[in-house]
Amino acid sequence: MQFNRNTNSCSLPSVSGPSTSTNYQSQAANTSSEMQQSACLANNYGSSGTTSMNYASTGVSSSASIPRPLQHVIPTCVYLMSRIAVHMEIEGTAQCPSQVMLAAALGCEELGIANKLLAQSIFGLWMTSSLLEIQLKPHHRPYAVRVAWSKLLERHSHGNEIERKYDEPMITLRRNVFFSKKDEEKIKDPRILELLYEEARHNVLMGRYIMEPAHSIMLGGIQARVELGPYNSHTHTIGFFR
């Protein structure tokens, strides 16, 4: 297990929930063919996006062309750092691996991601709360991790008993910590860059990136340009910012 006590974040190698028999054994890293398979699996799971976007054909009955209702669905939201939530209804949610859920979330047309296979290698699903942050491996099942959350808090968080009792995690889309900086510098997709920028902005504002004051001022200027446009001495006065 890789665990950073400063940020309470870790990469989870194995989890066993108190009421599940799911076995989380270590598996090899994803290849491009596996990511293509995950896109196909997303279709089989029958997930739907925030705007009733149907990611999959739900199948038809043998007697009529009536869509088969989804079975064992637990409504699920994946939260982005850009304050957007992707709502999904996935068949067999409790058994759905994070690899499939990630492919379904990135496949939402509203996100506007052109190269979805590349995005699957850049981003990952995380289970996060104020006490603990875990990046899920492709074979981890978010539902089972949620069931085992209280035990994970006991082992890996510094929260007291009351804090652990009321802690509520959520599934978030974040940068894959194993994606190299060298490969990140080659990314050209504007939507992927926008998602990475939103996450970096959040980490800077939360004090997770330690930097020199000069760098902080420079980044503040970039963000001001993004939000307010070019500097105008008549408009952007001290009173304007107050």
Side-chain angles (χ1 to χ4, degrees):
M1 170 173 290
Q2 295 184 357
F3 180 67
N4 188 332
R5 293 190 179 275
N6 292 329
T7 60
N8 283 342
S9 61
C10 61
S11 180
L12 185 69
S14 61
V15 177
S16 57
S19 60
T20 64
S21 58
T22 306
N23 185 11
Y24 291 92
Q25 298 295 334
S26 299
Q27 296 183 355
N30 280 342
T31 61
S32 59
S33 61
E34 287 176 329
M35 289 189 290
Q36 291 174 343
Q37 291 175 359
S38 70
C40 296
L41 286 172
N43 291 340
N44 294 332
Y45 271 91
S47 55
S48 59
T50 53
T51 57
S52 301
M53 178 63 64
N54 190 359
Y55 288 97
S57 56
T58 56
V60 295
S61 64
S62 58
S63 59
S65 58
I66 301 176
R68 176 179 61 82
L70 300 179
Q71 303 293 323
H72 309 293
V73 172
I74 303 174
T76 305
C77 282
V78 176
Y79 294 89
L80 281 62
M81 304 304 291
S82 56
R83 300 179 181 179
I84 295 175
V86 179
H87 176 266
M88 297 181 292
E89 293 182 351
I90 302 178
E91 186 169 30
T93 310
Q95 302 301 321
C96 178
S98 66
Q99 182 180 12
V100 173
M101 194 173 292
L102 173 64
L106 293 173
C108 180
E109 291 187 3
E110 283 75 11
L111 294 185
I113 298 177
N115 194 336
K116 296 177 177 58
L117 289 180
L118 174 62
Q120 288 184 51
S121 64
I122 297 173
F123 298 101
L125 289 187
W126 291 64
M127 189 76 73
T128 65
S129 74
S130 59
L131 298 180
L132 184 64
E133 298 180 351
I134 296 174
Q135 178 176 336
L136 305 180
K137 288 187 175 182
H139 61 281
H140 286 156
R141 298 173 182 174
Y143 178 82
V145 175
R146 177 62 184 89
V147 171
W149 192 250
S150 60
K151 291 186 176 295
L152 291 171
L153 291 179
E154 291 179 6
R155 294 175 57 186
H156 304 299
S157 77
H158 299 291
N160 57 44
E161 183 177 354
I162 296 179
E163 290 174 333
R164 295 197 303 268
K165 179 179 179 181
Y166 293 101
D167 189 60
E168 287 291 340
M170 61 183 182
I171 303 173
T172 58
L173 180 74
R174 296 189 179 185
R175 185 186 184 279
N176 178 4
V177 295
F178 300 107
F179 191 76
S180 69
K181 182 179 179 181
K182 180 179 179 181
D183 291 332
E184 184 177 341
E185 293 173 349
K186 300 177 183 178
I187 299 173
K188 303 298 182 183
D189 189 301
R191 184 53 180 148
I192 292 178
L193 290 174
E194 183 179 346
L195 292 175
L196 290 172
Y197 177 83
E198 290 289 347
E199 182 173 349
R201 174 182 176 274
H202 170 80
N203 289 331
V204 169
L205 294 177
M206 295 299 293
R208 293 189 169 192
Y209 291 164
I210 307 301
M211 62 187 68
E212 297 293 334
H215 292 162
S216 300
I217 294 173
M218 178 188 68
L219 292 177
I222 293 174
Q223 184 60 31
R225 175 63 183 258
V226 171
E227 294 185 3
L228 306 175
Y231 172 71
N232 186 319
S233 59
H234 299 289
T235 303
H236 302 140
T237 62
I238 296 178
F240 174 85
F241 290 104
R242 287 179 177 174

